[in-house]
C-alpha cells in the first residue's frame, strides 16, 4: 500500500517534501521490476525479515519501513537533493524561455 493511503486513513497530515515512501524509492522499484513493490518483499530482500506472514501488524510494518529508510538514507537523501536541483534548474530555464 502506498504511504499516502495510510496517512489518509489516519487523517494524518505531513509535509509532502518530508515523506519517504519505500514503494516509490527508485532502487526499491528496480529490484523487483515493479512500480510499487510491497513492504513485505522489500523487508525480505533488504532486511532479511519476514513480515505479514500470518497477520498484518502495523507496528512491525512501521518499524520495517523505518529500518529500510535508515539503511538507504544517505543515498536516498542525496538522490532527492539532485532531483530538487534539476527541477529548480528546469524552472529557471523555463522562466527564461517564456520571458
Amino acid at each position: 500500500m502506498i504511504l499516502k493511503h495510510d496517512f489518509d486513513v489516519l487523517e494524518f497530515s505531513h509535509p509532502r517534501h518530508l515523506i519517504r515512501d519505500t514503494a516509490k524509492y527508485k532502487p526499491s522499484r528496480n529490484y523487483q521490476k515493479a512500480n510499487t513493490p510491497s513492504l513485505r518483499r522489500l523487508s525480505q530482500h533488504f532486511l532479511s525479515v519476514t513480515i505479514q506472514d500470518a497477520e498484518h501488524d502495523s507496528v512491525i510494518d512501521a518499524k520495517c519501513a523505518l529500518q529500510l529508510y535508515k539503511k538507504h538514507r544517505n543515498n536516498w537523501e542525496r538522490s532527492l537533493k539532485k532531483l530538487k536541483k534539476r527541477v529548480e534548474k528546469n524552472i529557471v530555464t523555463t522562466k527564461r524561455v517564456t520571458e
Side-chain angles (χ1 to χ4, degrees), residues 80-97:
L80 290 173
K81 283 181 184 178
K82 286 179 183 177
L83 177 62
K84 183 179 177 181
K85 285 181 181 179
R86 280 194 305 243
V87 168
E88 289 171 351
K89 183 179 179 182
N90 285 341
I91 289 171
V92 169
T93 303
T94 303
K95 282 183 178 180
R96 288 182 189 157
V97 169

Side-chain angles (χ1 to χ4, degrees), residues 39 56-66:
L39 181 60
H56 186 123
D57 185 328
S58 57
V59 173
I60 291 174
D61 288 358
K63 287 180 178 180
C64 285
L66 183 57

Side-chain angles (χ1 to χ4, degrees), residues 6 9 12 19 26 29-32 37-38 41 44-45 51 55-56 63 66 69 76 83 86:
D6 292 342
V9 168
F12 181 76
I19 295 173
K26 191 171 183 172
R29 293 190 328 252
N30 289 346
Y31 127 78
Q32 193 177 326
S38 68
R41 290 181 192 250
Q44 181 64 51
H45 180 76
I51 63 170
E55 61 183 57
H56 186 123
K63 287 180 178 180
L66 183 57
Y69 170 73
W76 200 331
L83 177 62
R86 280 194 305 243

Side-chain angles (χ1 to χ4, degrees), residues 21-37:
D21 190 341
T22 55
K24 292 185 175 182
Y25 180 51
K26 191 171 183 172
S28 298
R29 293 190 328 252
N30 289 346
Y31 127 78
Q32 193 177 326
K33 305 284 188 215
N35 289 335
T36 53

